[in-house]
Amino acid sequence: MSHEIEIVSKSPKEFAYAKKKSAEAMRNQVTAFAIMIFFTFIAFALVMAGFSPTLVVPVILLLAVVQVILQLYFFMHWSEKGHGIPQFFMYSGALVAFTMVLAFVTIIWWE
Amino acid sequence: MSSNQKFTPHSWPDHPEKATAEGKNKVTGFWLFLGGETVLFATLFATYLALKDKGPSGMKFTSQELFELPLAFVMTMLLLTSSLTSVYAMYHMKSYNFKAMQAWLSITVLLGLGFLGLEIYEFTEYVHEGFGFSQSAFSTSFFTLVGTHGVHVVIGLVWITLLMLRNSKRGLDLYNAPKYYLASLYWHFIDVVWVFIFTVVYLMGVM
């Protein structure tokens, strides 16, 4: 497959800018990681503290969803440009996933 | 231009994984695959939730007395940290630092192996207690869900290791940059699934 790619060498200024951008992205990723670790601690602590499940279950599910969103946007680069199609695929998958889980937990043992 | 073109940090593109048509297609196709994987795991989660603590002889074991939170916590920390180290690897991939990328990927593989070792330990403990794959509907749905995730971990480890060995002398170029990028996406996806497993299976299991 012949496919032309133009090789452009960055000027020192452009190079410094790209470096700065990538350092910024890294800072965001480390912050996201710190939040994920923190949320994991909270989730385990809430369960170990023995609060009522009706209270804890929605909270830990919410923490899990936020963790996954952080993972997708920062670790899997959704915060960068050009991720419309990946988001479409994953949101479609998530919609089917949610419907399926909802159906199974409500209908199977219907009384 | 051939895909063997050599680069310097200055000529290396900002998004090497998408600099070629092949790379662009790979990334898009891989996300379609991950969308499908989401549905696959949803069927397993749905089955698990429906059959939890159930089955002809299932009531002998309940999730409440079976699962150990400290083990699940350590496994979660190992996998979450390995997700960060693979982010570090991709940071060095983008700045054309091949050695640093390989080093961070090795750490990712080691953390993944740690996770896998604990999972194998956990499964053998359950089997010794009598909670085998075919013990009840509950046990089958549990091992299928967590085991399928474990298989993904094995595939991810083999994939990353082979990539590292295969390209160890080649260095980075636009031919293998998308390959590394996809392997790291796959590894992050494994962590995404685990976030739901530790929440839905272990945390909600012991309550």
Side-chain angles (χ1 to χ4, degrees):
Chain A
M1 248 199 339
S2 70
H3 177 74
E4 280 310 307
I5 303 141
E6 211 183 327
I7 305 291
V8 195
S9 206
K10 292 191 182 88
S11 73
K13 239 183 186 167
E14 286 170 327
F15 186 65
Y17 179 73
K19 252 203 144 127
K20 202 182 118 210
K21 276 275 155 201
S22 135
E24 259 169 36
M26 190 37 131
R27 252 201 313 280
N28 287 338
Q29 283 163 335
V30 172
T31 311
F33 177 73
I35 296 171
M36 288 192 272
I37 291 276
F38 181 61
F39 279 12
T40 306
F41 267 106
I42 292 183
F44 275 86
L46 280 177
V47 173
M48 282 176 165
F51 292 116
S52 141
T54 38
L55 195 78
V56 175
V57 169
V59 176
I60 60 175
L61 283 178
L62 184 71
L63 289 176
V65 170
V66 175
Q67 277 205 51
V68 163
I69 289 172
L70 287 173
Q71 184 103 12
L72 287 164
Y73 274 86
F74 293 104
F75 283 17
M76 294 165 94
H77 314 284
W78 277 14
S79 59
E80 292 168 16
K81 272 183 197 154
H83 278 78
I85 292 173
Q87 287 176 4
F88 170 71
F89 288 154
M90 290 303 278
Y91 281 124
S92 313
L95 181 68
V96 177
F98 177 75
T99 316
M100 190 141 41
V101 172
L102 188 69
F104 271 55
V105 297
T106 51
I107 298 173
I108 299 231
W109 303 102
W110 195 277
E111 286 171 65
Chain B
M1 189 210 82
S2 93
S3 54
N4 291 313
Q5 166 92 33
K6 287 291 164 211
F7 288 87
T8 66
H10 281 81
S11 67
W12 188 239
D14 282 339
H15 292 286
E17 75 280 2
K18 288 185 199 163
T20 61
E22 190 184 345
K24 271 191 198 115
N25 290 340
K26 272 186 174 163
V27 172
T28 306
F30 198 74
W31 277 107
L32 179 59
F33 165 70
L34 289 184
E37 288 267 281
T38 307
V39 177
L40 163 76
F41 276 104
T43 62
L44 300 178
F45 271 108
T47 313
Y48 170 79
L49 284 170
L51 298 176
K52 182 184 167 199
D53 293 342
K54 294 197 167 71
S57 53
M59 298 323 283
K60 197 175 148 208
F61 291 96
T62 58
S63 62
Q64 209 161 8
E65 56 197 40
L66 196 66
F67 299 147
E68 300 280 351
L69 277 193
L71 186 70
F73 182 76
V74 175
M75 287 164 78
T76 304
M77 285 298 148
L78 283 176
L79 211 57
L80 195 54
T81 311
S82 81
S83 209
L84 181 75
T85 57
S86 97
V87 158
Y88 279 142
M90 285 310 103
Y91 170 81
H92 290 296
M93 189 272 274
K94 289 196 173 177
S95 55
Y96 199 66
N97 188 342
F98 181 68
K99 280 209 176 109
M101 179 189 75
Q102 295 275 85
W104 281 111
L105 284 178
S106 321
I107 297 171
T108 307
V109 168
L110 287 179
L111 290 166
L113 282 173
F115 173 89
L116 195 64
L118 288 180
E119 182 148 277
I120 292 169
Y121 163 77
E122 184 197 357
F123 281 10
T124 40
E125 279 295 298
Y126 292 161
V127 172
H128 276 295
E129 287 170 31
F131 187 72
F133 184 79
S134 50
Q135 191 266 334
S136 62
F138 170 41
S139 77
T140 309
S141 65
F142 166 80
F143 282 115
T144 309
L145 170 60
V146 183
T148 304
H149 177 269
V151 169
H152 279 72
V153 172
V154 173
I155 294 172
L157 289 174
V158 172
W159 184 1
I160 296 174
T161 310
L162 286 180
L163 262 185
M164 286 168 57
L165 295 176
R166 170 85 171 76
N167 293 297
S168 57
K169 293 210 174 75
R170 181 181 179 120
L172 258 182
D173 52 34
L174 292 182
Y175 168 72
N176 57 24
K179 293 172 184 273
Y180 279 105
Y181 186 82
L182 296 191
S184 109
L185 278 187
Y186 188 75
W187 195 255
H188 292 312
F189 183 76
I190 288 172
D191 194 41
V192 164
V193 174
W194 181 256
V195 169
F196 283 113
I197 291 186
F198 88 68
T199 304
V200 173
V201 176
Y202 294 96
L203 289 180
M204 283 166 63
V206 298
M207 278 194 279

